[in-house]
Amino acid sequence: MTSALLFISTFLASGVEFVEALTIVLALGITRGWRSPLVGTAAAALTLGVIVAALGPALTLVPIDVLRLVVGALLLAFGLQWLRKAILRSSGYTALHDEEEAFRLETEQARQAGAGRRAGLDWYAFTLAFKGVLLEGLEVAFIVVTFGSSERNIPLAALAGVSALLLVVLAGVALRAPLARVPENTIKFSVGVLLTTFGTFWGAEGTGVSWPGDELALPAIVAFIALSSLALVKLLERRRVRIPAEAHA
Amino acid sequence: MLVARFLRFWWTFIVGDDWRVALGIAVALGLSAVFVKAGVPAWWLVPLGAVLLLADSLRRATRAT
């Protein structure tokens, strides 16, 4: 069960990040040609691969309790960040991320940028694709390494990340357009719940806690975090509607 | 300058918009370790702490709007 949850969490988190990276690469490819953004993407993917390959085996040498405490704390920090953003968006306090609007802005900026060349590449397209894919992918690499090392199963976490990458790339090649119909906030909400769940489970284990039912506690934690988060969305929605009404009274 | 940018990147990457949440996580895990050492069941502490930290962070984020 932990393996299935690990795969789903890594797959969904990776997918969301890759959708954002795809928007940047597509905007550059369509406006400035494909060669430089694709070289930038490949260079970033290689860098991420090196990070995973170097950190993954190194982390398996750390004692499991220490590793789970540190990884748990980091995943809790990550998960609560994702949940916070997703709840603020769901309840209408901040605008939903719009992939089409992001694509439009990227395209406009790419058209206006100068055409400097270095090493035979369109430098603007190369560096922007490299930075975009590296920054979006860093979170994926972090999740792959932490999940994989905590469960002593880096290949499964890496497989989930690569599967998400292939799916997003195939969809991007087929559509040649940003994946605007992906329910990004719902996925971010789910990933936030899963990251917070694993962070809670491993972090507490790292402090010496024995969970009732051991791994069977995981679905209960998922339910607790998910229901509490949904209740927070409802509370904020009600508050957002009430405050303007009171202001006009 | 480069070091400051590097540190700022990691701070934003890990801590994010609300440093109090990160501090709260450290406190919750610390308390959990103290409870375990004292022989008190502590499995409930971290999940409850996570939800309370999230609620408090959202309360502060929406209070300004």
Side-chain angles (χ1 to χ4, degrees):
Chain A
M1 185 182 49
T2 314
S3 298
L5 276 177
L6 181 151
F7 187 91
I8 293 167
S9 311
T10 312
F11 181 84
L12 289 177
S14 310
V16 172
E17 298 299 331
F18 289 140
V19 164
E20 289 177 16
L22 176 77
T23 302
I24 298 169
V25 176
L26 273 175
L28 290 167
I30 287 169
T31 48
R32 303 181 70 100
W34 289 98
R35 187 168 165 265
S36 298
L38 288 180
V39 173
T41 303
L46 198 69
T47 310
L48 290 169
V50 169
I51 291 172
V52 173
L55 278 183
L59 285 180
T60 56
L61 301 174
V62 178
I64 192 74
D65 276 346
V66 176
L67 185 70
R68 287 189 168 170
L69 178 62
V70 174
V71 164
L74 289 172
L75 287 179
L76 266 171
F78 259 54
L80 291 176
Q81 273 186 63
W82 281 53
L83 265 180
R84 183 178 184 273
K85 275 184 196 154
I87 290 173
L88 286 172
R89 284 175 177 163
S90 295
S91 57
Y93 274 92
T94 53
L96 288 170
H97 183 76
D98 184 344
E99 216 56 54
E100 272 176 358
E101 177 63 9
F103 180 73
R104 195 188 61 75
L105 285 173
E106 291 286 353
T107 312
E108 207 171 295
Q109 282 168 4
R111 276 206 187 100
Q112 287 168 3
R117 293 190 78 81
R118 271 191 230 175
L121 293 167
D122 173 351
W123 202 243
Y124 176 85
F126 171 80
T127 49
L128 210 64
F130 179 80
K131 266 168 67 178
V133 175
L134 187 68
L135 289 179
E136 301 296 347
L138 208 54
E139 212 156 332
V140 174
F142 177 82
I143 289 167
V144 166
V145 167
T146 53
F147 272 47
S149 53
S150 293
E151 271 304 298
R152 298 292 193 232
N153 200 349
I154 287 178
L156 182 69
L159 178 70
V162 171
S163 306
L165 173 67
L166 287 178
L167 185 73
V168 170
V169 168
L170 285 175
V173 169
L175 293 175
R176 290 281 178 106
L179 305 183
R181 284 189 188 167
V182 172
E184 192 185 333
N185 204 49
T186 309
I187 297 177
K188 279 197 164 161
F189 186 93
S190 312
V191 173
V193 168
L194 289 168
L195 293 183
T196 306
T197 297
F198 275 107
T200 298
F201 187 78
W202 285 328
E205 267 195 343
T207 65
V209 162
S210 296
W211 285 100
D214 201 17
E215 285 189 358
L216 290 175
L218 276 170
I221 306 172
V222 169
F224 176 67
I225 303 287
L227 290 174
S228 305
S229 302
L230 288 171
L232 285 169
V233 171
K234 289 286 161 211
L235 261 172
L236 290 184
E237 272 175 355
R238 229 181 287 166
R239 206 175 124 202
R240 198 171 64 89
V241 172
R242 206 182 59 219
I243 288 173
E246 283 172 0
H248 285 101
Chain B
M1 194 66 174
L2 199 66
V3 176
R5 274 174 65 186
F6 179 78
L7 291 176
R8 200 175 310 127
F9 168 78
W10 284 104
W11 174 269
T12 312
F13 189 61
I14 293 168
V15 175
D17 298 328
D18 191 352
W19 60 269
R20 291 175 189 88
V21 172
L23 181 67
I25 291 166
V27 170
L29 290 171
L31 275 177
S32 175
V34 169
F35 276 40
V36 169
K37 270 251 162 88
V40 180
W43 58 265
W44 51 271
L45 202 150
V46 180
L48 185 65
V51 169
L52 291 177
L53 285 169
L54 180 63
D56 182 57
S57 178
L58 287 166
R59 185 184 59 83
R60 268 182 285 105
T62 54
R63 200 171 45 188
T65 53

